[in-house]
Amino acid sequence: MTIALLTDHYELTMLRAALLDGTADRRCVFEVFARRLPTGRRYGVVAGTGRLIDLVRDFRFQEEEVAQLRTHGVVDDQTAAWLSDYRFRGDIDGYAEGELYFPGSPILTVSGTFAECVILETLVLSVLNHDCAIAAAAARMVTAARGRPVIEMGSRRTHEEAAVASARAAYLAGFEYTSNLAAGYRYGIPTAGTAAHAFTLLHDDEPAAFASQVAALGKQTTLLVDTYDISQGIRNAIAVAGPELRAIRLDSGDLSVLAQQSRELLNSLGATDTKIIVSGDLDEHAIAALAAEPVDMYGAGTAVVVGSGAPTAGLVYKLVEVDGRPVVKRSENKATVGGRKTAIRRHKPTGTATEEIVVSQGVPDHKLGDRLLQHSYVVTGEPVDLPTLDESRAHLRACLISIPWEGLKLSAGDPAVPVTVVPAP
């Protein structure tokens, strides 16, 4: 099955009707934006665009897929013929991966015929809603870690393909490593991991398990010391590996108390350079609570891959322009601003962001320090050169530095940067 068959049924309903009534070829502009941020969040993070452009490039319906849709009455002959010849020939512009966004930010703009744009809605939203949610949660964890490395360890808590996408989004957000080897292979993300409790339980005793791991991996490994008694586990680890042991991992209990006790014990055994890694249902709040403790690295799993309580970014994909004419949705609490948008972010001379200005069917007045937020991703169906994942990661670091310090708080509050939307004239 190709990615194209993940298209939603209702998109084909609109396509079939538009082909029949002659509106399918009208030039249209669709925009992706969030009406609001998840509860408690002060910024969103654009992520997944690089993945999305690759998927759009390969978005094709195979002959057997079209035949099945025809057999089941989902499409008629005219629509089937159109699908068989489909490839996206329009334009895609948007915020850079790693850019921050706020309510009303036009983070992605898809333009072309109605037919070729509308059929991409489910693909666009499924990728961006997932990856933006993961990246925003991960960025908050990185901020809470205050410079200490964080490992992404959530593969076992989500769908197998979502695990790879989550690892990519978390790395973009500033995580140092992932335990997901597929993400390492696809995206060049550094991988890291250690043994689980099962490996200790496999052996007749804990020292035997530690000795086996050290024999295989050397002293630059990490030993999990909380299968039985943590204090004895640490003593066993140092007895086997010596004070040159790279790290121990704590995965349960009161991590604040255990980290202090473990550091004291390691120091008393001469293992002053042995690091302490903690894991076990950590989210940004748990990480922040450990800021004063002698923790050297965090392992975050479940909270990352579920967006730390916000598994979707709440992004929508809305038609805003038809044949150059702004169109708007007036539904209560779901109204839209018509017209293609241009966005800039305004900064103080010190570099601190002060405002985002979004103008419909026009260009904002530029001042010194303003930064244009939208860039070309696809031009007449052809992808353009995109930043690397490491470049996007560096861009996010710069963006987080640019927002007012209040915007980095984990508590609920207003968006870090206000957005002013200027409607079409």
Side-chain angles (χ1 to χ4, degrees):
M1 185 187 75
T2 65
I3 191 70
L5 209 57
L6 297 179
T7 300
D8 198 272
H9 194 294
Y10 90 93
E11 290 157 16
L12 293 185
T13 298
M14 291 187 285
L15 172 64
R16 181 172 177 174
L19 288 170
L20 182 62
D21 71 13
T23 57
D25 290 331
R26 286 187 174 179
R27 304 301 298 181
C28 291
V29 176
F30 286 80
E31 286 178 347
V32 177
F33 61 92
R35 292 190 176 93
R36 62 192 66 85
L37 297 175
T39 302
R41 303 293 172 86
R42 302 190 184 207
Y43 62 83
V45 175
V46 177
T49 320
R51 289 205 311 119
L52 175 62
I53 299 308
D54 288 342
L55 293 170
V56 170
R57 180 196 59 209
D58 298 333
F59 195 92
R60 304 283 193 283
F61 287 87
Q62 299 301 309
E63 182 179 346
E64 60 272 18
E65 295 171 344
V66 176
Q68 183 191 50
L69 293 172
R70 185 72 188 91
T71 298
H72 290 280
V74 178
V75 298
D76 57 8
D77 289 340
Q78 180 185 23
T79 309
W82 189 91
L83 292 176
S84 296
D85 189 47
Y86 178 79
R87 67 180 292 269
F88 182 71
R89 296 177 174 86
D91 301 331
I92 299 178
D93 304 276
Y95 286 27
E97 276 207 275
E99 187 63 71
L100 303 183
Y101 71 87
F102 308 96
S105 296
I107 69 173
L108 197 78
T109 304
V110 183
S111 55
T113 68
F114 175 80
E116 68 180 335
C117 295
V118 77
I119 203 170
L120 295 178
E121 179 174 356
T122 295
L123 175 65
V124 169
L125 289 181
S126 63
V127 171
L128 296 184
N129 267 315
H130 175 269
D131 287 24
C132 291
I134 304 307
R140 285 160 57 88
M141 294 180 199
V142 170
T143 296
R146 299 185 182 182
R148 297 168 179 171
V150 189
I151 307 173
E152 186 279 314
M153 305 168 64
S155 295
R156 301 172 187 177
R157 299 294 185 265
T158 189
H159 184 277
E160 63 272 15
E161 282 299 319
V164 184
S166 295
R168 181 185 183 277
Y171 182 71
L172 168 69
F175 277 43
E176 294 291 339
Y177 306 96
T178 178
S179 64
N180 189 287
L181 297 181
Y185 176 78
R186 290 187 198 177
Y187 304 117
I189 301 171
T191 60
T194 186
H197 294 107
F199 186 73
T200 302
L201 296 171
L202 169 69
H203 292 79
D204 292 337
D205 55 41
E206 193 172 57
F210 290 167
S212 174
Q213 186 172 331
V214 170
L217 300 170
K219 296 182 179 182
Q220 289 303 300
T221 191
T222 300
L223 298 179
L224 180 62
V225 297
D226 66 348
T227 303
Y228 305 115
D229 177 79
I230 292 176
S231 295
Q232 187 58 48
I234 292 173
R235 292 188 178 92
N236 289 338
I238 302 306
V240 168
E244 300 84 12
L245 177 65
R246 173 179 175 270
I248 63 166
R249 179 162 72 99
L250 306 173
D251 190 51
S252 57
D254 186 334
L255 296 176
S256 178
V257 173
L258 292 175
Q260 294 179 37
Q261 294 177 344
S262 297
R263 182 73 272 159
E264 292 172 1
L265 180 54
L266 286 168
N267 290 348
S268 72
L269 296 172
T272 55
D273 292 329
T274 299
K275 307 299 184 185
I276 298 176
I277 302 172
V278 298
S279 57
D281 296 324
L282 296 181
D283 61 10
E284 61 267 47
H285 301 287
I287 291 172
L290 293 167
E293 308 305 341
V295 172
D296 298 290
M297 186 178 295
Y298 303 95
T302 302
V304 182
V305 299
V306 299
S308 194
T312 176
L315 302 173
V316 295
Y317 182 89
K318 296 301 178 184
L319 179 64
V320 296
E321 192 172 290
V322 177
D323 290 335
R325 173 179 55 86
V327 295
V328 299
K329 178 179 178 179
R330 301 189 186 279
S331 304
E332 187 175 354
N333 298 322
K334 291 188 176 182
T336 58
V337 176
R340 183 191 185 101
K341 316 297 188 307
T342 303
I344 62 169
R345 188 149 311 144
R346 187 150 287 166
H347 300 77
K348 294 179 180 179
T350 58
T352 301
T354 59
E355 184 182 17
E356 186 168 312
I357 301 174
V358 178
V359 173
S360 175
Q361 294 197 310
V363 179
D365 292 331
H366 282 259
K367 297 181 179 180
L368 184 65
D370 289 351
R371 182 163 59 85
L372 185 66
L373 296 174
Q374 289 140 320
H375 311 273
S376 293
Y377 282 116
V378 176
V379 178
T380 60
E382 296 299 326
V384 299
D385 290 336
L386 300 176
T388 66
L389 183 57
D390 282 330
E391 288 171 340
S392 298
R393 175 181 163 93
H395 183 71
L396 174 57
R397 284 199 299 270
C399 288
L400 289 171
I401 292 171
S402 74
I403 62 175
W405 69 268
E406 295 92 341
L408 298 176
K409 289 183 177 180
L410 299 181
S411 57
D414 293 332
V417 176
V419 178
T420 300
V421 180
V422 181

